[in-house]
Structure formats: structure tokens, C-alpha cells
Amino acid sequence: ATIVSGAVAERAQLIAYLVYTCAITMFVYPVVVHWVWSSGGWLSAFNGAGEDGANVALRGGMIDFAGSGVVHMTGGVAALCGAAIIGPRSGRFVERKPVPMPGHSTVLQVLGTFILWMGWYGFNPGSTLGIAPAGYAMHAARSVVTTTLAAAGGGVTVVALGRVTGGIWDVGLVCNGILGGLVSITAGCSTITCGLSLLTGVLGGGVYFGASKLVVRALIDDPLDAFAVHGACGFWGVVAVGLFASPDYGYNAEGAAGLFYGGPKAGVLLGVQLCGIVVQILWTSVTSSTLFFALKAARLLRIDVATEEDGIDVEKHGGPGY
């Protein structure tokens, strides 16, 4: 729900935020969680065997260790639906051309990025859900290293792309590139080797950069690049597992590893990952679009023009934010 808030920032009513937060966390997200992480989920690598002895999950189950798809892509797709339905901020596009609306504080953006990056060391390694059982500390430690490398790779890649295309070293691009790398490795942090985690982050940076440009070209106003960071890089993170998951670390119940490693089951895991992505996107986009269209029809989604110009802080909360 916090991912969505970034995509509708500066023009959503507080009541809309409260309604979609409850709907997403109580209905949309739990279904995806059950599919992928529950011991009874049809996409879950943790699904038990059926009566015939075969695993009842789809071809051994989907690997999404800390939630590139389950958490980030779900939030990112919902964010894109919300941003498209609520419409752009006043003055964001003039004659179908974007008008820059930069953030007001680079210092706060950098601070927020470092807080998020630090938090990811709980998010990814903490997804072992324990430290004492055999092997758990090893997987948690590997997740720390892969998380660091992917984040760094994403940040360096995006700022370099910004320098080549725009001629400046953009601090904001570094920040979003770091986040894109973090999202990209979240699914495979425990199953991808260190070298390939760096590649995952570098490619994730490219995915973020391209997705951000496409969203603007589609005339969708996503102030925090929520879809590009979380939706597009979440998509790539799940695919990356299907390509790069190590046979030594993977936990698909059929023993399928990433396509990069070949073997008799090459492509099986990638197929499962792609199937999981498709159904998650369909579920999230249909439910989220229905929710936001309903809020719009009830006139509960967007603030009026005068409130947007004056600032929601003043109109709705009794005083300026600064």
C-alpha cells in the first residue's frame, strides 16, 4: 500500500488512501501471498506432496524468496493502475509533453534511500525466518552479500545511463537505481550467486530506466517512479531467478535451476516463474483497477483543483507542511 501511495502522491484524498490500503492489505495481497508462500499454495515451492506422492505445486513451485513479485510487483502494478486512473497532477503534461516537477529536497531523498537500503538487510536475509537451524545462517549471509552487490550495480548503472542520455550526474537517479537493484535481487537473494547478483542489479537498473521513460511516454504521472522501481524491477527479479538460480541453492521441489545452468530440466523453473508473473499481474490489475474506478465513481479518489494548488497540508490537515 505504501508503494501505491507514491504513485498517487499530491492528488489523492485521505479517504481514498484509507480505503485502498485496507482493500489491498486485506484482499489483493493475501491471495498472492497464499499462492506463492503458503504450504497449500498452487505456486508454492513449500507445498506438500499430494496423495500420489507428487508435489501439488506447479512444477515444483515458484522461487520468490523475499518477494520481488509477491510484494514489489504486486504493489507496483496496483500503483500503475492507481496513477493511470487518478490522472496526472495539474500541469504535469502540457500538449502531451512532460513538464519537470522535481522533488524539493535531494538530501531527504538520499537519506530515505539509505534508510530503505539498510532496512533491506532485514527484509532479504530476514526472510529465512530463522537463524539457528542448519544452513539458515549461510543463506542469510549470502543474502546480505547479494543484496549489497545488486543495489550497488543498479545505482551505478542508472546514474551512468542518466549521464549518457541527459548529460548530468543525477543524484535522484542513483537513488532509484539502488532501489531498482534491491527490488531486482529480492526474489533470488538466497539462490543467486554473488557474481550473478551483480549482473541482476545491473540489468535491473536498465529495466528501471526504460520503464520510467515508458511510463512518462504513456502520459501517466508516477511522481516516485513506483511502477518502474517496484513493478518493472519486481517483474525482472522473478525472471532473473528463472535464469540465474543456482542448482546448489535453489529450492524448487523438482530440483529445477535457472536456465543459465542448463541441465535436463533447463527452462522448467523459468516457465514456472513466468506463469506466476502472469497470474499475479492479472489478479492485481483487475482487482486494483476495479477498486480505483469505484473510488473515482464515488468521487472519493481525487482532491479538487483548488486543494491541489494550495496543498493538502493546508486544506485538509490544518497547516503547511513546511
Side-chain angles (χ1 to χ4, degrees), residues 92-93 96-98 211-222 225:
R92 180 66 176 95
F93 299 104
R96 300 184 64 82
K97 294 182 179 180
S212 177
K213 299 295 184 184
L214 286 174
V215 169
V216 174
R217 287 181 67 88
L219 303 181
I220 296 174
D221 185 14
D222 183 355
D225 271 342

Side-chain angles (χ1 to χ4, degrees), residues 41 74 104 120 182 194 287:
T74 297
H104 79 284
W120 236 278
L182 289 166
C194 295
T287 52

Side-chain angles (χ1 to χ4, degrees), residues 55-92:
N55 189 278
V56 295
L58 178 66
R59 297 303 302 270
M62 179 179 178
I63 294 178
D64 188 357
F65 186 71
S68 287
V70 173
V71 178
H72 295 282
M73 191 179 72
T74 297
V77 170
L80 183 66
C81 295
I85 293 169
I86 199 172
R89 290 166 290 174
S90 299
R92 180 66 176 95

Side-chain angles (χ1 to χ4, degrees), residues 28 32 35 42-43 62 68-70 72-78 80-81 227 230-232 234-236 238-239 273-289:
V28 180
V32 180
W35 287 346
W42 68 279
L43 275 170
M62 179 179 178
S68 287
V70 173
H72 295 282
M73 191 179 72
T74 297
V77 170
L80 183 66
C81 295
F227 172 74
H230 299 277
F235 179 101
W236 159 241
V238 176
V239 172
Q273 301 293 104
L274 291 173
C275 178
I277 287 171
V278 169
V279 295
Q280 288 174 39
I281 290 175
L282 287 173
W283 167 257
T284 305
S285 59
V286 170
T287 52
S288 298
S289 295

Side-chain angles (χ1 to χ4, degrees), residues 54-248:
N55 189 278
V56 295
L58 178 66
R59 297 303 302 270
M62 179 179 178
I63 294 178
D64 188 357
F65 186 71
S68 287
V70 173
V71 178
H72 295 282
M73 191 179 72
T74 297
V77 170
L80 183 66
C81 295
I85 293 169
I86 199 172
R89 290 166 290 174
S90 299
R92 180 66 176 95
F93 299 104
V94 177
E95 296 181 353
R96 300 184 64 82
K97 294 182 179 180
V99 176
M101 289 185 172
H104 79 284
S105 174
T106 300
V107 173
L108 289 180
Q109 184 178 8
V110 172
L111 176 60
T113 300
F114 275 118
I115 291 171
L116 279 168
W117 193 349
M118 184 65 185
W120 236 278
Y121 293 114
F123 194 70
N124 283 1
S127 291
T128 58
L129 305 183
I131 198 69
Y136 277 40
M138 177 184 69
H139 293 303
R142 186 186 315 108
S143 296
V144 170
V145 178
T146 56
T147 297
T148 305
L149 291 171
V156 171
T157 299
V158 173
V159 75
L161 289 172
R163 178 68 173 84
V164 170
T165 59
I168 61 171
W169 301 101
D170 192 322
V171 177
L173 286 180
V174 178
C175 293
N176 275 349
I178 289 169
L179 298 181
L182 289 166
V183 171
S184 298
I185 198 59
T186 294
C189 58
S190 71
T191 61
I192 294 178
T193 61
C194 295
L196 290 175
S197 71
L198 179 60
L199 178 61
T200 299
V202 168
L203 295 176
V207 169
Y208 158 76
F209 194 80
S212 177
K213 299 295 184 184
L214 286 174
V215 169
V216 174
R217 287 181 67 88
L219 303 181
I220 296 174
D221 185 14
D222 183 355
L224 270 62
D225 271 342
F227 172 74
V229 169
H230 299 277
C233 290
F235 179 101
W236 159 241
V238 176
V239 172
V241 173
L243 297 175
F244 302 142
S246 169
D248 296 327

